């Protein structure tokens, strides 16, 4: 059996060990240090925001965002149904109730029309959502020129979940810079990784200061341990920040490699009857985190699952698109606006190996297998 081809494995730059060794030599192995400062500064600059706070995961960053906005029990949070569980898990951790919204056809991100419906209906129910978590799905920005005015009119703060979209942009503006707060993930499957980690982004220094305070157990300024509120142990290690720093320095190469994957899949698979690739909206420049295809069984002759199993038999990892959150057992009783679009995407959609270290030969093999599966 040939070596397994993974969906989106880490791709080291070669500079990680040097940064880690620096931290080890200097004894800065915990929650402060030069790498943390440099990693935050480089990320803030890349995303065009004033402040970045490095934390232990993207989920922790989202949880902090909700806490900063004072969101808690009985509050509703609007979330696209097509996303990874983390987007909603943070709301649940905060004690809030997710409300799910369908996606549009242009970029598979949250549908502004459906969002408007959800907000209007909330008004009728006497319930104004306390935040929108807008996700940039698969590395492509949501339609912020439509989403931001809707949120402004309704008085609802926008949190951008850019976990999958570092390096992408919308009308020239970087992912991670939309809304009052934004988050990134440096988990192992993302476009660059810190071996695990996340970042909270904001232009508001009060949010940044408060996030740092809450992420380090909310210690009041006093020589003894004193607490006026309860925080979290969410700070990223300086060792991991060193890994993140090394990875960030090769982000543009990683985007170029993932884009090449997408283009190759589009030029080959996209030409087959019954197969289409993820649409790219004209409003932005994705980071091409994952390359996804849709399979129309009636026209292609076989379905998503048959293709996935065929690839698996060759030791190649492909995955269905995110199972919509409104279809998850844990959210069976949760409110959803629309949902048909994402249900169809889930039924037909497959994410193909998209790593930046994928070789031309590996990609050709994947394309061949799929072409022959019908
Ligand atoms: C990966 C991801 C997260 C969470 O990131 P972690 O660092 O794994 O906690 C949040 N939202 C989306 C959309 C993601 O893909």
């Amino acid at each position: 059996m040939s070596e397994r081809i993974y969906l989106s494995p880490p791709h080291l730059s070669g500079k990680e060990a040097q940064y880690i060794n620096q931290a080890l030599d200097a004894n800065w192995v915990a929650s402060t240090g030069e790498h943390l400062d440099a990693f935050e500064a480089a990320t803030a600059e890349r995303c065009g925001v004033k402040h970045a706070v490095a934390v232990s995961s993207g989920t922790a960053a989202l949880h902090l965002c909700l806490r900063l906005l004072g969101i808690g029990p009985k509050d509703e949070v609007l979330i696209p149904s097509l996303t990874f569980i983390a987007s909603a898990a943070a709301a649940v951790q905060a004690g809030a109730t997710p409300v799910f919204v369908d996606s549009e056809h242009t970029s598979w991100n949250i549908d502004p029309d459906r969002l408007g419906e959800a907000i209007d209906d909330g008004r009728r129910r006497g319930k104004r959502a306390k935040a929108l978590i807008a996700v940039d799905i698969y590395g492509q920005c949501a339609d912020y020129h439509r989403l931001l005015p809707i949120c402004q009119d309704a008085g609802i703060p926008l949190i951008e979940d850019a976990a999958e979209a570092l390096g992408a942009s919308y009308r020239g503006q970087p992912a991670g810079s939309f809304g009052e707060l934004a988050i990134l993930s440096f988990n192992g499957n993302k476009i660059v990784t810190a071996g695990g980690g996340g970042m909270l982004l904001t232009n508001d220094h009060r949010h940044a200061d408060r996030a740092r305070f809450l992420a380090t157990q909310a210690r009041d300024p006093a020589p003894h341990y004193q607490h006026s509120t309860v925080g979290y142990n969410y700070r990223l290690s300086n060792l991991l920040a060193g890994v993140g720093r090394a990875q960030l320095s090769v982000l543009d190469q990683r985007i170029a490699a993932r884009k090449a994957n997408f283009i190759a899949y589009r030029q080959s698979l996209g030409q087959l009857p019954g197969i289409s690739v993820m649409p790219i909206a004209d409003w932005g420049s994705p980071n091409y985190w994952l390359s996804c295809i849709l399979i129309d069984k009636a026209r292609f002759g076989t379905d998503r699952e048959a293709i996935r199993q065929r690839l698996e038999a060759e030791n190649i990892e492909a995955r269905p698109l995110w199972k919509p959150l409104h279809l998850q057992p844990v959210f069976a009783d949760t409110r959803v606006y629309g949902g048909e679009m994402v249900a169809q995407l889930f039924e037909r959609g497959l994410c193909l190996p998209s790593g930046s270290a994928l070789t031309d030969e590996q990609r050709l093999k994947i394309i061949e297998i799929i072409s022959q599966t019908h």
Side-chain angles (χ1 to χ4, degrees), residues 355-369:
S356 42
L358 193 72
T359 65
D360 291 358
E361 294 76 47
Q362 289 174 323
R363 214 165 50 209
L364 271 176
K365 183 174 167 190
I366 293 161
I367 290 166
E368 246 174 56
I369 292 169

Side-chain angles (χ1 to χ4, degrees), residues 168-225:
S169 62
Y170 175 87
R171 299 189 197 280
Q173 188 181 326
S177 66
F178 294 91
E180 190 169 332
L181 291 151
I183 70 104
L184 299 171
S185 167
F186 294 93
N187 190 41
N189 65 342
K190 299 304 198 288
I191 192 156
V192 294
T193 181
M199 199 75 79
L200 181 148
L201 305 171
T202 183
N203 282 316
D204 186 334
H205 69 89
R206 285 163 310 180
H207 278 332
D209 292 347
R210 182 92 182 146
R212 264 179 236 285
F213 170 75
L214 289 171
T216 49
Q217 304 285 26
R219 280 167 19 212
D220 292 340
H224 50 273
Y225 285 92

